[in-house]
Amino acid sequence: MYTDTHVHTVFSSDSSTIVNRQIDKAILLGMKRLYITDHQDFDFPEEKYGLAFTFDTSSYFEKLTELKEFYKGKIELLIGVELGLMPHLAGKLKTYLASYPFDYVIGSTHLIRKIDPYYPEFYEGRSEKEAYLEYFETILENIHTFNEFDSLGHLDYVVRYGPNQNKNYSYLEYRDIIDEILKAIIDKNLALEINTAGIKYGLGHAHPHSDIIKRYLELGGEMITLGSDAHKPEHLGYAFLDIKDLLESLNIRYLTNFVKRKPEFIKI
Ligand SMILES: [Zn+2]
Ligand SMILES: [Zn+2]
């Protein structure tokens, strides 16, 4: 089974899964490696949404280092983080990453003007297309202000939550802005994440849509990471078998794992 590089535990405000349960599930699925990548969303509007989305990084390293030892010989545990990107956070994120020895950093856009696209507020008073465009424009702005992460998380995540989800959504409809995002990550040497939560949300495709992954390869992109975004053990490695077919159809021969922030290419 492919390594799952995007996994949440109780260190994330929206998960109550203790770390051991995710590791045990990964062993059961036959993974040789597992990444824990909890949410670190600085300046998340806690007062508005009732969740903080940050964790104490010293406790995180303490716990995960202890588990890394405990599971030695059974599975290799790697310490990652999913950083919530916002243009004004660039300096803070830089300092943060310089302070801790993460193996792997996912850069994700969860907020647009401090609004979570999960809530209808984000779509009010405008078309769905305008809202999606703003999400993509924010990703691009985030990459331009801060690009010291390793892989761009769930590129078209916003389509999970739009009024019509992905019914009217296609790569071609957003080609210009998506191409700019893909060119920016290739230029900055960042990987593109395939996030299978899109399938879990009933979209019929992972994030991003396969047409976007295809375009990334056409433009010369070579680093693909794979993650389920599981918040519960039953979602760990979610739909990875479907992904096997997708990878084959796109002629992708390697997945990328980051160890101590350096890419390793894993033949599939
Ligand atoms: Zn995310
Ligand atoms: Zn996540």
Side-chain angles (χ1 to χ4, degrees), residues 39 82 108 110 154:
H39 284 296
E82 181 179 15
S108 294
H110 293 132
H154 50 56

Short mmCIF file of all heavy atoms in Angstrom, two decimals, residues 39 82 108 110 154, ligand 1:
data_model
loop_
_atom_site.label_atom_id
_atom_site.label_comp_id
_atom_site.label_asym_id
_atom_site.label_seq_id
_atom_site.Cartn_x
_atom_site.Cartn_y
_atom_site.Cartn_z
N HIS A 39 -3.13 19.94 11.60
CA HIS A 39 -3.44 21.31 11.18
C HIS A 39 -2.73 22.35 12.04
O HIS A 39 -2.90 22.37 13.26
CB HIS A 39 -4.93 21.60 11.38
CG HIS A 39 -5.83 21.00 10.37
ND1 HIS A 39 -5.80 21.33 9.04
CD2 HIS A 39 -6.83 20.10 10.49
CE1 HIS A 39 -6.73 20.66 8.40
NE2 HIS A 39 -7.37 19.90 9.25
N GLU A 82 0.38 20.27 8.31
CA GLU A 82 -0.39 20.93 7.25
C GLU A 82 -0.55 22.38 7.66
O GLU A 82 -1.32 22.70 8.57
CB GLU A 82 -1.76 20.28 7.05
CG GLU A 82 -2.55 20.96 5.93
CD GLU A 82 -3.94 20.36 5.67
OE1 GLU A 82 -4.44 19.59 6.50
OE2 GLU A 82 -4.51 20.69 4.61
N SER A 108 -1.56 24.52 2.58
CA SER A 108 -2.97 24.46 2.17
C SER A 108 -3.66 25.80 2.36
O SER A 108 -3.39 26.52 3.32
CB SER A 108 -3.72 23.42 3.01
OG SER A 108 -3.25 22.12 2.74
N HIS A 110 -6.98 27.25 3.38
CA HIS A 110 -8.24 26.92 4.06
C HIS A 110 -9.13 28.15 4.24
O HIS A 110 -10.31 28.01 4.50
CB HIS A 110 -7.98 26.32 5.44
CG HIS A 110 -7.32 24.99 5.42
ND1 HIS A 110 -6.23 24.68 6.19
CD2 HIS A 110 -7.61 23.86 4.71
CE1 HIS A 110 -5.87 23.43 5.96
NE2 HIS A 110 -6.68 22.90 5.07
N HIS A 154 -4.46 19.76 -1.52
CA HIS A 154 -5.84 19.79 -2.08
C HIS A 154 -6.19 21.02 -2.91
O HIS A 154 -7.09 21.79 -2.54
CB HIS A 154 -6.87 19.55 -0.99
CG HIS A 154 -6.77 20.39 0.27
ND1 HIS A 154 -6.79 21.76 0.26
CD2 HIS A 154 -6.68 20.03 1.58
CE1 HIS A 154 -6.73 22.20 1.50
NE2 HIS A 154 -6.64 21.17 2.33
ZN ZN B 1 -6.59 20.87 4.45
#
